[in-house]
Amino acid sequence: LGLALCAGSLCAASGAAWLYHDYCIIGAGPAGLQAAYFLQRAGRDYLAFERSHAPGSFFALYPRHRRLISINKQYTGKSNSEFNLRHDWNSLLSHDRRLLFRRYSRDFFPSADTMVRYLEDFASLLELRVQYNTAIIHVTLEKNEQAWNGHYFLLTDQDRKNYKCSSLLVAAGTWVPNVVNFPGSEYVEGYETVSVNPEDFAGQTVLILGRGNSAFETAENILGVTNFIHMVSRSRVRLSWATHYVGDLRAINNGLLDTYQLKSLDGLLEGDLEDLAIVKDKKGKLHITLRFYLENGNVSAGIDSITLPQDELDNFATRAPYDRVIRCLGWKFDFSIYNRSLRMLPGKGNIKKYPQIKPSYESKGTRGLFVLGTASHSVDFRKSAGGFIHGFRYTTRAVHRLLENRHHGVPWPSTAYPITQLTNSIIKRVNEASGLYQMFSVLADIILLRENATAFEYLEEYPIGILAELEMQTGRKARSGLFVIVMEYGRNFSGADKDVFYYNRAVGEAQHAWQSNFLHPVIYYYKRLPTEREMRLRPPDWPLPRPDAIHHIVEDFLTDWTAPNAHILPLRRFLENCLGTDLRSFFAESCFLFAFTHQKLPPFCQQGYVRMQGVVGSRELRQHAAQAGLLRDYTDTDSAGGRPPASHGGSREQLMRDPALPVPPLQHLGNAKDE
Amino acid sequence: MSAQKDRWVSSLVFLLFCASSIPRSGSVGLQQELSPQHYFSGLEAGKASLAFFTPSGSPGAQPFLEQIESSAEALQDYGISVVKVNCPKEEVSRYCGKENALRKAFLFRGNRLIREFPTDALFDVNSIVANVLFALLFNEVKYVETLADLENTENVLKGKSNMVFAYVPATGTAEHRAVMEAAFVYGTIHQFVLTTEAALLKATSPDDPDVSSAWLLFCHCQQVTEPAQPCRRTALAQPLTLLNIHRHLKLMGAPLVTEVAEDPEKISTVHLQLGLPLVFILSQKETYEADRRTAEFVAWQLLGKAGVALLSRDLVDLNVLHRSNVALKTPQEGMPIQYLVLEDTDEVITLVEDKNKVKQIQEDEQEEEEDEDEKEDNNQDIQDDQVVEAVSRDKKRELPLEQILVLTEENFHSSLSEAALTVVLFYASWEAVSLAVLRSYSEVAAHLQGTPGVLLSRVNCWDWPGLCSQENVTQFPTIKIYKEGQQSVTYDGMWGTEELSSFILLSRVSCPLKLATMDEAEGYLRGEFPSELSSHHHTSLLGVFSTATSEAREAYEEAGNILSGHIRMGMYFEDDSLALSQKYSVSPPALLLARSGGRSVEGIALSKHSVQDLVQMIRYELLDVFPEITVTNLPQYLQLRKPFLILFSAGDISEMESKEMLKLAKGRSQQAFVACWLNLKKTPVGHGILRNYFSTTPSLPILLWVNLHAGGQVFKFPSEQSITEMNILSWLEKLQAGLEIPSSTLSEEDWKPPLPAYDFLQMMEPPVPELSPHTAPHPGDPPAQHPPKSPGGGSAGGDAAVREEPPRESTAEAAGSAGRDLRGTAPRLAARDKQGKRHSEL
């Protein structure tokens, strides 16, 4: 209450001093800058606030050992810039080709310093409006009927300067280190401050709390100089190549697993940190015990009076004392700056480090507040890439498109095509689209069919979770059915305990495509837009409700889905059967024949040939088609056509052999009819 | 089709019934007799039996024992019992005890020995049945060795009965058996004659026969009255099986021509029952005799292929065109009777034969489908897109693309300034249609090689998507023409070499081209100016404007932008424009249209000033009055949305026809239809159109009225009338009055998906149960094999199903590896091959 009063008095005191912007962005890290870029391109009134003197302050400190684990692929063998973004995990989206990360570093796993430099360049080259050295310390609401969302956001910085915004984009990341409190936790060093100089650990025995990439990265750094390292955490180790989740332990950091399994003293333990307790002996060595013993014993009496587990269980695993205990438990979102009226609440269970948001990235508690970047990862935690640059650069764009439609009447960008381009438009996207690929099962391309299925609109990278709200969120109409194109891993392929290398894991045949395991395109067909209820009641593990028809394009070793028979043909058949039409392409000659023999023409002829855009085809091609039996070659039937005398001769010959029969007047039938 | 099969089957059942109704004794199958005495005492007089003797105690060691046993049932149908007689050890008689007797089988009628067969003549069921029947039917089936024997037999039969003559390559074959089985039933009606002499086959069959296949002739000897007259012969066109022979003999027995006096829809004859068409010759009292002769002639030609009936129009009220003289009824139920106007008996015969061919193909296809039923929708993965298939078949050929500059994001803008005119093909290297166009484009490049100021280039949008979207290319292929300092023009014509070349050449000159002097204007109309286009024969359009009429001139210029590349357009607005236009008796603003190199110049006064109207008018003026329709120009005429009066010609049309048609086209009815002609030599696909309209190819030239846009009826101009303006007009009047009956109607069918898609939803349903990778179903297994699970069954049911899977798999495989049943393993091996295609095994 006191806080609210204080805020109220602040308002009253400096009401005239509110600096207004349509959009305020908290944080100028990758997500904040990405949002600023799209707002700038759209010509919107915005301002980004950064507590540090430069963008990306998180990267200025983290990761402590300075090696990013996001890949920076120099070569893919392709020049397709969209495709190449599939293998560039560091660049932000922009029109400026100078701002590709591979121009900043040649390292496959680049340095965090390069990221800081990159972000600085991104902000300055694109002239993004960022106010540095401004830490927003308080956010509250001001009710106002006129405001876009029924209220304004009031922001206060560390100098008590005030800002007022219609829409608030929170791109503050998760930067508050996770801390556990247990008896003796004061002896624990934090990842944020621990020494990164391996020499400081020479001949020491180290316990690391946590089992994420930061824990393993810390271990990796000191592996060679320590006596041994033990690593304790509640959950089992989750390898990213088994879970297909980039946030899990990456192979580049897993040196400790190697030494553990190859009997080199290091080891992993499972246990709840909440039950832990650490006691320091006189020599300064740290002993592991359990909170349970401390509660029963007399703590003040010193180490000797405390029961250690090995007293009862003399082969207790961590009975050896440690020289250091390091906490590497990750970070959480800073909830403290938001007034209670904003209802910025932590999520439940394993997403409690993130604020609660809807699949549209809008806060569950406050309309008009969108969470971007790492902090928005609750939408696809442990599933897709929304917590990482190579994922949230696309979700940020999606949020921007939602905002453009909501506040500026700019509908979601779409391209209209004739129906003949349906197969092509899908093939093009599944082969090059990076947003679909990185944000698999989260962002989807949407095809909205126009009436009579003669044309369609193509919408890119729409958040799948708000499919039911599509018409409202995009300003586009879905009256005649829609296709949703997503990319998916096999349903039972990923998991910490899954064998991802089992024999016959890959499907090669199109007819078994639904059993594909590796990331592959999946197309859902709905005759009408699913409702919110259907979205809620969708089968578990399904990103979408049960469609009217579904198609899987069979997984491909090269992720190149352009094979005419294995990829394109089954897709065409699926689309044809959804639409009830024939989507084949025809040479002009076939269309010509159809024009004279059918009252209706197939779409390809109707939209091409009839509009004088027929595919004449070269002679070789027409010959190939004729050889395949798909085009009839009438040139050699010439002789048979004109009723040549030969056929008469044939029948006459037979007559000759039949002397018994008097030859009837052949023309007789003809004469009989018209008298 | 299935109804028809039922009929066949029932006929066969009837046949077997005839055979098996012959009295017989004993149970079905092989009989056992304890001793020869026992056997011989039990023989009934007149009853045939096949016996073989085995020493008692020795197991059935003879290799043919199994075959004998399996033929017992077949022989039972003909009243022949098969008996195995055990020879007691001590007994030595004629049949028992002697080594060579034990290697023989003996055929008895009553207790009389008819024949002894060495066991090697009885190698399988066919040979046993054939040889046994052959021996029993010694009188009914005559074996001949020479042509003289055959002729003698024939002569004897003349006027008495018909003869069935069969050639089989060898006795004891399946064909031999079929002939003998037929002889068993029909032997008393027809004289059967059999030979294995290839010389006889050659003497009786028309062209070079295949001596390794059997051949059967029905010789109509009964109706021969004079000994000198040979018997007519009708060969069996199908393979020699009992069913086919039976069918053939039934057809030969049917009356040659049936006379009918009732509704043809209700008529059913033996032909229709056997799945053959029935041809009606429509007759009337006045011409009855002649019609009867025609019918008989046709009937002889179609004997065995179709039935012929003579339908009297005087007795039946037919609601068909008076001119119709033939009707065709097909055995398919629900198919309407086709009434036709044919001119020649040959047409009747080709009509039936074509139909049969089609039917044969359909039947084959159906059988194939039935065979492949298990493989479910087998054709789904076969490419049926002609463009895609053609391009993938052509992909190994290296295209001559040296003349075409490859553009990238880096060099795109700099390259555009290199030539006065840059043509860019935007394509995608994976997209079939754009690759088809790339092939034509490479031909254009060869065509235009050395043309100054023109640069051909291409952008692969799969490599440079940013460039393509920046140039507003959303579809493949797209061709854009960039001229310095001007907006790019998107090509919107046919993707053919000629059309594209001509577009590029015309695009070099600005459209419309401003002409400065009277001389230039005159030269322009003659096609001599500008010199770049002098080699290019095209219709030229010259807009003549007075200096005052700027509004019309602006519209004309705008229209020029739209029509750029498609037509030569010039404009002249100097002071003396009035003088120019008056030469062609119009006054400015006016258009001068010079066709074919300025030989005729037409003046058209300009009244409309809107760009749209102007473009429309120019397009319309460019159309020919009596064009030759080709694949590439048809769309222009289709857009008029009028019926077509089209003359199909085998080559160029005659001057007379051309003159008459031109008169007609220019006449008063010009607005109502498109008069045109089609040269089948130049546009061979026209044959396909004619074949679609008429089952047979009609005589050419043929004039047709095709209602392309309304109703789709096709009318044929009576071919006996000559093509003159008068005749056509009066025919058109009759046609309009509804007095003509269409020869054909364009298909109204919608373009449905050619084949079904994989039903993944059904395969995934119910939700895939939790599977560990080890028990995951092999992707090679047809998912349909999963036992159906109820959607509400939850994971328990699913798990159970999965657990069931592996044992079944392994037992099947064990059986396969044991090699007991090779047939069963074949699909499994195939399935394993398929699994081998997975790329993880590379």
PDB file of all heavy atoms in Angstrom, chain A residues 287-307:
ATOM      1  N   HIS A 287      31.989 -29.237   3.907  1.00  0.00           N
ATOM      2  CA  HIS A 287      31.423 -30.574   3.973  1.00  0.00           C
ATOM      3  C   HIS A 287      29.948 -30.533   3.617  1.00  0.00           C
ATOM      4  O   HIS A 287      29.239 -29.614   4.006  1.00  0.00           O
ATOM      5  CB  HIS A 287      31.585 -31.151   5.388  1.00  0.00           C
ATOM      6  CG  HIS A 287      33.008 -31.390   5.746  1.00  0.00           C
ATOM      7  ND1 HIS A 287      33.621 -32.619   5.634  1.00  0.00           N
ATOM      8  CD2 HIS A 287      33.978 -30.544   6.203  1.00  0.00           C
ATOM      9  CE1 HIS A 287      34.875 -32.531   6.005  1.00  0.00           C
ATOM     10  NE2 HIS A 287      35.128 -31.266   6.351  1.00  0.00           N
ATOM     11  N   ILE A 288      29.522 -31.522   2.892  1.00  0.00           N
ATOM     12  CA  ILE A 288      28.116 -31.613   2.511  1.00  0.00           C
ATOM     13  C   ILE A 288      27.379 -32.382   3.581  1.00  0.00           C
ATOM     14  O   ILE A 288      27.801 -33.470   3.992  1.00  0.00           O
ATOM     15  CB  ILE A 288      27.966 -32.364   1.177  1.00  0.00           C
ATOM     16  CG1 ILE A 288      28.700 -31.637   0.064  1.00  0.00           C
ATOM     17  CG2 ILE A 288      26.483 -32.540   0.819  1.00  0.00           C
ATOM     18  CD1 ILE A 288      28.188 -30.265  -0.226  1.00  0.00           C
ATOM     19  N   THR A 289      26.281 -31.807   4.007  1.00  0.00           N
ATOM     20  CA  THR A 289      25.419 -32.557   4.896  1.00  0.00           C
ATOM     21  C   THR A 289      23.984 -32.249   4.517  1.00  0.00           C
ATOM     22  O   THR A 289      23.736 -31.605   3.486  1.00  0.00           O
ATOM     23  CB  THR A 289      25.718 -32.232   6.361  1.00  0.00           C
ATOM     24  OG1 THR A 289      24.867 -33.052   7.182  1.00  0.00           O
ATOM     25  CG2 THR A 289      25.462 -30.775   6.677  1.00  0.00           C
ATOM     26  N   LEU A 290      23.053 -32.701   5.295  1.00  0.00           N
ATOM     27  CA  LEU A 290      21.655 -32.502   4.944  1.00  0.00           C
ATOM     28  C   LEU A 290      21.022 -31.565   5.955  1.00  0.00           C
ATOM     29  O   LEU A 290      21.350 -31.591   7.150  1.00  0.00           O
ATOM     30  CB  LEU A 290      20.919 -33.842   4.924  1.00  0.00           C
ATOM     31  CG  LEU A 290      21.497 -34.854   3.932  1.00  0.00           C
ATOM     32  CD1 LEU A 290      20.788 -36.202   4.049  1.00  0.00           C
ATOM     33  CD2 LEU A 290      21.399 -34.330   2.504  1.00  0.00           C
ATOM     34  N   ARG A 291      20.135 -30.759   5.452  1.00  0.00           N
ATOM     35  CA  ARG A 291      19.418 -29.809   6.267  1.00  0.00           C
ATOM     36  C   ARG A 291      18.786 -30.517   7.472  1.00  0.00           C
ATOM     37  O   ARG A 291      18.782 -29.995   8.582  1.00  0.00           O
ATOM     38  CB  ARG A 291      18.321 -29.173   5.401  1.00  0.00           C
ATOM     39  CG  ARG A 291      17.555 -28.063   6.062  1.00  0.00           C
ATOM     40  CD  ARG A 291      16.350 -27.735   5.207  1.00  0.00           C
ATOM     41  NE  ARG A 291      16.711 -26.944   4.036  1.00  0.00           N
ATOM     42  CZ  ARG A 291      16.575 -25.605   4.006  1.00  0.00           C
ATOM     43  NH1 ARG A 291      16.128 -24.954   5.035  1.00  0.00           N
ATOM     44  NH2 ARG A 291      16.895 -24.931   2.928  1.00  0.00           N
ATOM     45  N   PHE A 292      18.354 -31.744   7.218  1.00  0.00           N
ATOM     46  CA  PHE A 292      17.695 -32.556   8.230  1.00  0.00           C
ATOM     47  C   PHE A 292      18.559 -32.726   9.489  1.00  0.00           C
ATOM     48  O   PHE A 292      18.095 -32.580  10.596  1.00  0.00           O
ATOM     49  CB  PHE A 292      17.375 -33.912   7.582  1.00  0.00           C
ATOM     50  CG  PHE A 292      17.001 -35.004   8.525  1.00  0.00           C
ATOM     51  CD1 PHE A 292      15.713 -35.050   9.060  1.00  0.00           C
ATOM     52  CD2 PHE A 292      17.917 -35.986   8.878  1.00  0.00           C
ATOM     53  CE1 PHE A 292      15.374 -36.066   9.920  1.00  0.00           C
ATOM     54  CE2 PHE A 292      17.558 -36.995   9.742  1.00  0.00           C
ATOM     55  CZ  PHE A 292      16.282 -37.035  10.269  1.00  0.00           C
ATOM     56  N   TYR A 293      19.865 -32.953   9.272  1.00  0.00           N
ATOM     57  CA  TYR A 293      20.758 -33.145  10.421  1.00  0.00           C
ATOM     58  C   TYR A 293      20.946 -31.860  11.202  1.00  0.00           C
ATOM     59  O   TYR A 293      21.060 -31.854  12.412  1.00  0.00           O
ATOM     60  CB  TYR A 293      22.117 -33.655   9.962  1.00  0.00           C
ATOM     61  CG  TYR A 293      22.087 -35.050   9.382  1.00  0.00           C
ATOM     62  CD1 TYR A 293      22.542 -35.305   8.102  1.00  0.00           C
ATOM     63  CD2 TYR A 293      21.594 -36.116  10.154  1.00  0.00           C
ATOM     64  CE1 TYR A 293      22.522 -36.584   7.576  1.00  0.00           C
ATOM     65  CE2 TYR A 293      21.565 -37.395   9.636  1.00  0.00           C
ATOM     66  CZ  TYR A 293      22.027 -37.636   8.351  1.00  0.00           C
ATOM     67  OH  TYR A 293      22.010 -38.878   7.839  1.00  0.00           O
ATOM     68  N   LEU A 294      20.980 -30.739  10.438  1.00  0.00           N
ATOM     69  CA  LEU A 294      21.215 -29.449  11.086  1.00  0.00           C
ATOM     70  C   LEU A 294      20.057 -29.072  11.980  1.00  0.00           C
ATOM     71  O   LEU A 294      20.215 -28.536  13.060  1.00  0.00           O
ATOM     72  CB  LEU A 294      21.428 -28.360  10.040  1.00  0.00           C
ATOM     73  CG  LEU A 294      22.667 -28.502   9.169  1.00  0.00           C
ATOM     74  CD1 LEU A 294      22.875 -27.245   8.356  1.00  0.00           C
ATOM     75  CD2 LEU A 294      23.900 -28.772  10.020  1.00  0.00           C
ATOM     76  N   GLU A 295      18.857 -29.344  11.477  1.00  0.00           N
ATOM     77  CA  GLU A 295      17.673 -28.961  12.229  1.00  0.00           C
ATOM     78  C   GLU A 295      17.620 -29.705  13.557  1.00  0.00           C
ATOM     79  O   GLU A 295      17.144 -29.187  14.547  1.00  0.00           O
ATOM     80  CB  GLU A 295      16.407 -29.238  11.403  1.00  0.00           C
ATOM     81  CG  GLU A 295      16.159 -28.133  10.394  1.00  0.00           C
ATOM     82  CD  GLU A 295      15.222 -28.526   9.275  1.00  0.00           C
ATOM     83  OE1 GLU A 295      14.635 -29.628   9.318  1.00  0.00           O
ATOM     84  OE2 GLU A 295      15.091 -27.712   8.336  1.00  0.00           O
ATOM     85  N   ASN A 296      18.141 -30.943  13.542  1.00  0.00           N
ATOM     86  CA  ASN A 296      18.091 -31.742  14.764  1.00  0.00           C
ATOM     87  C   ASN A 296      19.266 -31.445  15.698  1.00  0.00           C
ATOM     88  O   ASN A 296      19.140 -31.518  16.909  1.00  0.00           O
ATOM     89  CB  ASN A 296      18.070 -33.225  14.425  1.00  0.00           C
ATOM     90  CG  ASN A 296      16.782 -33.577  13.721  1.00  0.00           C
ATOM     91  OD1 ASN A 296      15.840 -32.808  13.760  1.00  0.00           O
ATOM     92  ND2 ASN A 296      16.768 -34.731  13.068  1.00  0.00           N
ATOM     93  N   GLY A 297      20.398 -31.097  15.118  1.00  0.00           N
ATOM     94  CA  GLY A 297      21.604 -30.904  15.925  1.00  0.00           C
ATOM     95  C   GLY A 297      21.737 -29.472  16.431  1.00  0.00           C
ATOM     96  O   GLY A 297      20.929 -28.597  16.128  1.00  0.00           O
ATOM     97  N   ASN A 298      22.758 -29.262  17.113  1.00  0.00           N
ATOM     98  CA  ASN A 298      23.041 -27.941  17.653  1.00  0.00           C
ATOM     99  C   ASN A 298      24.071 -27.273  16.766  1.00  0.00           C
ATOM    100  O   ASN A 298      25.245 -27.622  16.752  1.00  0.00           O
ATOM    101  CB  ASN A 298      23.572 -28.091  19.086  1.00  0.00           C
ATOM    102  CG  ASN A 298      23.795 -26.729  19.708  1.00  0.00           C
ATOM    103  OD1 ASN A 298      23.627 -25.697  19.064  1.00  0.00           O
ATOM    104  ND2 ASN A 298      24.206 -26.734  20.975  1.00  0.00           N
ATOM    105  N   VAL A 299      23.589 -26.327  15.986  1.00  0.00           N
ATOM    106  CA  VAL A 299      24.452 -25.728  14.973  1.00  0.00           C
ATOM    107  C   VAL A 299      25.552 -24.885  15.617  1.00  0.00           C
ATOM    108  O   VAL A 299      26.698 -24.893  15.193  1.00  0.00           O
ATOM    109  CB  VAL A 299      23.617 -24.856  14.017  1.00  0.00           C
ATOM    110  CG1 VAL A 299      24.456 -24.362  12.872  1.00  0.00           C
ATOM    111  CG2 VAL A 299      22.420 -25.638  13.506  1.00  0.00           C
ATOM    112  N   SER A 300      25.168 -24.213  16.605  1.00  0.00           N
ATOM    113  CA  SER A 300      26.111 -23.264  17.202  1.00  0.00           C
ATOM    114  C   SER A 300      27.334 -23.961  17.800  1.00  0.00           C
ATOM    115  O   SER A 300      28.381 -23.355  17.982  1.00  0.00           O
ATOM    116  CB  SER A 300      25.408 -22.439  18.283  1.00  0.00           C
ATOM    117  OG  SER A 300      24.820 -23.346  19.222  1.00  0.00           O
ATOM    118  N   ALA A 301      27.175 -25.214  18.092  1.00  0.00           N
ATOM    119  CA  ALA A 301      28.274 -25.935  18.722  1.00  0.00           C
ATOM    120  C   ALA A 301      29.433 -26.195  17.771  1.00  0.00           C
ATOM    121  O   ALA A 301      30.465 -26.708  18.181  1.00  0.00           O
ATOM    122  CB  ALA A 301      27.764 -27.255  19.281  1.00  0.00           C
ATOM    123  N   GLY A 302      29.290 -25.847  16.515  1.00  0.00           N
ATOM    124  CA  GLY A 302      30.407 -26.003  15.590  1.00  0.00           C
ATOM    125  C   GLY A 302      30.353 -27.318  14.851  1.00  0.00           C
ATOM    126  O   GLY A 302      29.499 -28.180  15.101  1.00  0.00           O
ATOM    127  N   ILE A 303      31.256 -27.439  13.954  1.00  0.00           N
ATOM    128  CA  ILE A 303      31.258 -28.543  13.008  1.00  0.00           C
ATOM    129  C   ILE A 303      31.271 -29.905  13.671  1.00  0.00           C
ATOM    130  O   ILE A 303      30.620 -30.842  13.216  1.00  0.00           O
ATOM    131  CB  ILE A 303      32.449 -28.396  12.033  1.00  0.00           C
ATOM    132  CG1 ILE A 303      32.548 -29.601  11.045  1.00  0.00           C
ATOM    133  CG2 ILE A 303      33.771 -28.316  12.787  1.00  0.00           C
ATOM    134  CD1 ILE A 303      32.145 -29.264   9.694  1.00  0.00           C
ATOM    135  N   ASP A 304      31.983 -30.007  14.772  1.00  0.00           N
ATOM    136  CA  ASP A 304      32.157 -31.331  15.365  1.00  0.00           C
ATOM    137  C   ASP A 304      30.859 -31.927  15.871  1.00  0.00           C
ATOM    138  O   ASP A 304      30.693 -33.136  15.907  1.00  0.00           O
ATOM    139  CB  ASP A 304      33.176 -31.253  16.523  1.00  0.00           C
ATOM    140  CG  ASP A 304      34.522 -30.793  15.986  1.00  0.00           C
ATOM    141  OD1 ASP A 304      34.755 -31.054  14.770  1.00  0.00           O
ATOM    142  OD2 ASP A 304      35.298 -30.180  16.732  1.00  0.00           O
ATOM    143  N   SER A 305      29.937 -31.052  16.261  1.00  0.00           N
ATOM    144  CA  SER A 305      28.689 -31.568  16.809  1.00  0.00           C
ATOM    145  C   SER A 305      27.681 -31.902  15.719  1.00  0.00           C
ATOM    146  O   SER A 305      26.644 -32.483  15.979  1.00  0.00           O
ATOM    147  CB  SER A 305      28.077 -30.549  17.763  1.00  0.00           C
ATOM    148  OG  SER A 305      27.669 -29.421  17.011  1.00  0.00           O
ATOM    149  N   ILE A 306      27.969 -31.489  14.501  1.00  0.00           N
ATOM    150  CA  ILE A 306      27.001 -31.726  13.426  1.00  0.00           C
ATOM    151  C   ILE A 306      27.190 -33.127  12.856  1.00  0.00           C
ATOM    152  O   ILE A 306      28.326 -33.557  12.577  1.00  0.00           O
ATOM    153  CB  ILE A 306      27.175 -30.673  12.315  1.00  0.00           C
ATOM    154  CG1 ILE A 306      26.840 -29.301  12.874  1.00  0.00           C
ATOM    155  CG2 ILE A 306      26.312 -31.001  11.110  1.00  0.00           C
ATOM    156  CD1 ILE A 306      27.183 -28.181  11.975  1.00  0.00           C
ATOM    157  N   THR A 307      26.080 -33.792  12.679  1.00  0.00           N
ATOM    158  CA  THR A 307      26.151 -35.122  12.079  1.00  0.00           C
ATOM    159  C   THR A 307      26.387 -34.971  10.583  1.00  0.00           C
ATOM    160  O   THR A 307      25.747 -34.150   9.923  1.00  0.00           O
ATOM    161  CB  THR A 307      24.835 -35.864  12.305  1.00  0.00           C
ATOM    162  OG1 THR A 307      24.333 -35.516  13.578  1.00  0.00           O
ATOM    163  CG2 THR A 307      25.039 -37.357  12.179  1.00  0.00           C
TER     164      THR A 307
END
